[in-house]
Amino acid sequence: MVAGGGGDGLAQEFVQFAVDSGVLRFGQFKTKAGRLSPYFFNAGLFDDGAKLGRLAQFYARRIIDSGIEFDMIFGPAYKGIALAAAVAIELARLGRNVPYAYNRKEAKDHGEGGSLVGAPLRGKVLIVDDVMSAGTAARESIALIRAAGAVPHAVAIALDRQEKATEQGVDVDHSAVQYVRDKLGLAVCAIARLGDLLHYLELHQGGELGGHHAQVLAYRERYGVQE
C-alpha cells in the first residue's frame, strides 16, 4: 500500500509546506542514479523546531490514516534519527505512545556498546525515513531489525519519487518503493508522491511555478513507473 494521490488534501498541504520551506526546489539537479531531475527534495532543510514539528504532524497523520499496525518506530541513521524522534513525539501527543530506536553508522565499543540506541527492537517495527531512492537504507534497516529478533513491518517516507530504480547502473521497471513493498513484503506509506507534486504544479501553472510542470511531467514520462 502506498498512500497519496492527485486529489489528496494532506499531500497537497505537504507539497505546499515543502515549497514554502525551500525543501522542494525546481531547476536542474543530478540524482544518485546520474539523472538530471527538474526537482530536488532535501528533507535536511526541515532544519528548525517549527518545521520539524510540522513535518512530524504530516507523518503522524499519514501513518494513522494508513491503518498500518506497528509496535515501535525505527529511524535509520542519519536523517531517520531526528524523524523517528519527532514522529514518536507527535504520535504520543495524539494519544499513541510508542517506543523508538535508531542506529549508529559505526558500532560503539564502550558504554552500552553496539550500533542500536533507544528502546529494544521488538514486535512490528515501522521504519521512518525521508525518501527511498534505491531502497538501500531500507534493506540495511530490515537486516538490523531482523537480527534483533523483531519484525520489519512497514516504512513511512515523506516523498515517493515514483521513478525507476537502478540496479548495477541499469534502469529497472520498478521503483525502490515497489521493490520494498512487492519483493520485501513491507507496507509503505508516503506523505506525498510525484503524482501529488504534478497535481500541485498543474494547479499553480499561472504563477511562478507554472513553467516547471512540463519539465516534471517529461521527467516522469521518461523515468516514471507504472503503478
Side-chain angles (χ1 to χ4, degrees):
M1 176 189 67
V2 181
D8 186 322
L10 181 65
Q12 292 303 303
E13 283 182 51
F14 177 71
V15 173
Q16 182 69 65
F17 169 53
V19 170
D20 292 344
S21 300
V23 170
L24 182 56
R25 299 179 178 182
F26 300 94
Q28 195 172 74
F29 307 92
K30 192 170 185 178
T31 70
K32 287 182 181 178
R35 300 167 184 160
L36 288 179
S37 172
Y39 73 97
F40 181 58
F41 180 84
N42 181 5
L45 295 177
F46 289 120
D47 55 5
D48 63 36
K51 284 183 283 195
L52 182 60
R54 191 164 180 216
L55 175 61
Q57 290 175 359
F58 281 107
Y59 270 105
R61 288 167 64 188
R62 180 62 81 206
I63 290 166
I64 290 169
D65 289 347
S66 75
I68 290 171
E69 296 180 3
F70 61 98
D71 299 305
M72 67 175 298
I73 291 171
F74 178 79
Y78 288 103
K79 287 181 182 177
I81 297 174
L83 293 175
V87 172
I89 291 169
E90 178 61 18
L91 285 171
R93 191 185 70 82
L94 295 174
R96 179 79 196 279
N97 187 29
V98 295
Y100 81 98
Y102 58 90
N103 68 301
R104 300 184 180 95
K105 286 286 188 178
E106 297 178 0
K108 189 177 178 183
D109 61 3
H110 60 280
E112 74 277 17
S115 62
L116 296 173
V117 183
L121 289 170
R122 60 172 180 78
K124 294 179 179 179
V125 180
L126 172 65
I127 301 164
V128 177
D129 211 349
D130 57 347
V131 295
M132 200 182 292
S133 300
T136 305
R139 286 194 291 268
E140 291 173 352
S141 297
I142 288 166
L144 280 169
I145 293 164
R146 285 180 175 156
V151 179
H153 182 64
V155 183
I157 57 174
L159 181 69
D160 177 3
R161 290 181 61 98
Q162 292 183 291
E163 67 181 73
K164 296 176 180 178
T166 58
E167 293 179 2
Q168 298 178 336
V170 178
D171 290 350
V172 293
D173 290 334
H174 59 261
S175 69
V177 165
Q178 289 172 326
Y179 177 82
V180 168
R181 182 188 67 201
D182 300 335
K183 303 295 184 182
L184 302 182
L186 276 69
V188 181
C189 70
I191 302 171
R193 302 186 294 172
L194 179 56
D196 299 304
L197 171 55
L198 277 166
H199 186 66
Y200 174 86
L201 291 173
E202 187 176 4
L203 293 175
H204 292 79
Q205 286 196 80
E208 60 182 82
L209 295 177
H212 299 295
H213 180 267
Q215 288 89 343
V216 176
L217 182 60
Y219 184 82
R220 183 175 186 180
E221 288 174 348
R222 181 173 182 182
Y223 296 114
V225 293
Q226 295 294 324
E227 291 295 330

